[in-house]
Every structure is written in structure tokens, then in C-alpha cells.
Amino acid sequence: GVSLLGLDCAIDTLRAANRYLGWQMYHWCTIGQDDGLVTSTNGLRLALDHTIDDPVSLDMLFVCGWIGGTTYRSPKVEAWLRRMAPQVEALGGLTAGAFLLARAGLLDGYTCTTHWEDADTFRQMFPDIPLSDSIFVIDRNRMTSAGGLVSMDLFMQIVARDCGARTTLALANSFQLDRLRSAEDRQTWSLAQSARPQPKQILRATSLMEATIDAPLP
């Protein structure tokens, strides 16, 4: 069920950084609960490098989820994440990856984010964990992203931290990004722009709310 878009935006940002730097600064691997192929949300299958039973040494570890992947449970994976957390410098979640981190107790005391479609579910399931509507959140050694293309924004921040502004700008030009988004950017969703038809009264109300967002009406 992994979202290949979110996963590839993360990995390809690191690949592009290596290409610009001229050496393999970043290395990556894929890890799953069981050996074999993982079927993604678009039906393509991904070969894994390791299972969670293999000994691995990592600097960063990201849980890769998918929109709607809120009910996935695996006590074995949750226990593995708890063992790995003290061994890595940063722990993160892409798309609905925050749900698994939260179930493992690894977001207690941290602010996080997830895709807006799953936000209400997250708040109901984990009312004590602050949830932001930002496209990504970096809270100390926890990094969460709303997924999809936003994975690139998060990993551009990682590259900027590690390699500086010049490398980050080169990557932005390579990917033809018109700007670099930050954690201050909010997820782009509007009820009025939703694909689901809404009553005219709702559309008028939401348009008025958006027009007065800086000074909300009573």
C-alpha cells in the first residue's frame, strides 16, 4: 500500500544531491516486515533490500504510508520501530506514516502532520498529539510529511541542512521548482475547490471565509 510518489520524491531528492555533489553522500535502502515484493497503491511492486529482522545501521528512518492507510496495524513493526528509535538521529513518517509512529508511542510530546484527508481520523485516534496542517513538520528529531510531492519539500530541507544553499538551489533548478516550500506552508485544500459538489450556500460561506482569513468574521 505504500505511495510510490511520496517515496520516490524523497529518494530522488537524495539521488539528485549525490549527482550534484559528484559523490555518494546519501545512501538508502528499503525495509519491510517480510521478504518479497511490496505492492504500491498504483499496483507497481517494489523489491525490498531488507526485512526488519536484518541488522541495519541507519542515520534516518522513515515510515512510508499512503492516503487512507490509517488502520494498518503491526505489533511486530511497532516493536521494531521502538527498538530502532534510539539508534537513529531522526525518525520520520511520509503520508500516513505518522499513524504507525503514533501507535508505537514515538510521537508522544512531538508535533506532527499527515495528509489532510486523514487529519480528522488522526485527531480522533491520538487526541494528545498536536497535529499541524503544515505540509511538513520538523520537531527536533521527528520529521513528518503530508506525502506526495511534499516529500520532496521535506527532503530538500534535509539537503539544505547537510549541504547548504548552493546545492539546494541547484536541485530546485534541476527539478524545475518555482520556489522552495517551507514548514510555514499549509496544505492546499479548500472545500470550495473540492471535487465533491457542495451546496451553493456552503460554497458562498467558504469563499467568504477564505476572503477574510486574516480577520475572521464572527
Side-chain angles (χ1 to χ4, degrees):
V2 64
S3 166
L4 276 189
L5 178 60
L7 176 61
D8 189 58
C9 281
I11 292 178
D12 215 46
T13 303
L14 303 182
R15 176 212 52 88
N18 287 344
R19 174 175 175 266
Y20 176 79
L21 294 169
W23 62 286
Q24 288 287 115
M25 176 173 181
Y26 296 105
H27 301 263
W28 51 86
C29 64
T30 52
I31 306 171
Q33 178 171 335
D34 304 304
D35 198 8
L37 300 175
V38 170
T39 302
S40 68
T41 51
N42 63 13
L44 292 179
R45 293 187 293 174
L46 180 70
L48 298 174
D49 298 310
H50 301 283
T51 73
I52 59 176
D53 296 318
D54 298 334
V56 290
S57 178
L58 307 170
D59 296 311
M60 296 188 296
L61 172 61
F62 282 84
V63 177
C64 302
W66 69 98
I67 298 174
T70 62
T71 59
Y72 175 78
R73 298 296 305 267
S74 173
K76 184 178 180 180
V77 173
E78 292 167 25
W80 177 75
L81 288 171
R82 285 190 290 269
R83 291 196 304 271
M84 291 296 296
Q87 304 176 34
V88 297
E89 296 175 7
L91 190 63
L94 307 180
T95 318
F99 281 82
L100 199 55
L101 293 177
R103 285 196 177 96
L106 296 171
L107 288 179
D108 294 348
Y110 293 89
T111 298
C112 67
T113 193
T114 192
H115 194 276
W116 61 263
E117 288 188 34
D118 298 325
D120 287 343
T121 302
F122 189 95
R123 291 188 177 98
Q124 292 170 11
M125 294 174 65
F126 310 105
D128 296 328
I129 300 177
L131 185 71
S132 170
D133 64 351
S134 297
I135 58 173
F136 64 84
V137 171
I138 300 177
D139 186 352
R140 291 158 288 168
N141 62 343
R142 296 292 187 269
M143 303 180 181
T144 49
S145 144
L149 298 175
V150 174
S151 296
M152 180 174 289
D153 296 286
L154 173 57
F155 275 71
M156 290 284 275
Q157 292 289 324
I158 294 172
V159 171
R161 177 199 65 188
D162 296 341
C163 305
R166 179 176 296 181
T167 300
T168 309
L169 181 59
L171 265 60
N173 290 333
S174 175
F175 289 127
Q176 301 193 51
L177 300 177
D178 57 355
R179 73 182 184 96
L180 295 176
R181 294 189 292 180
S182 73
E184 302 301 318
D185 284 274
R186 297 294 183 258
Q187 296 187 44
T188 52
W189 176 78
S190 167
L191 181 62
Q193 296 172 345
S194 172
R196 182 186 301 174
Q198 301 291 341
K200 291 182 179 180
Q201 296 94 327
I202 296 294
L203 295 179
R204 285 199 298 269
T206 54
S207 295
L208 185 60
M209 292 166 65
E210 290 173 345
T212 58
I213 196 71
D214 293 329
L217 299 173

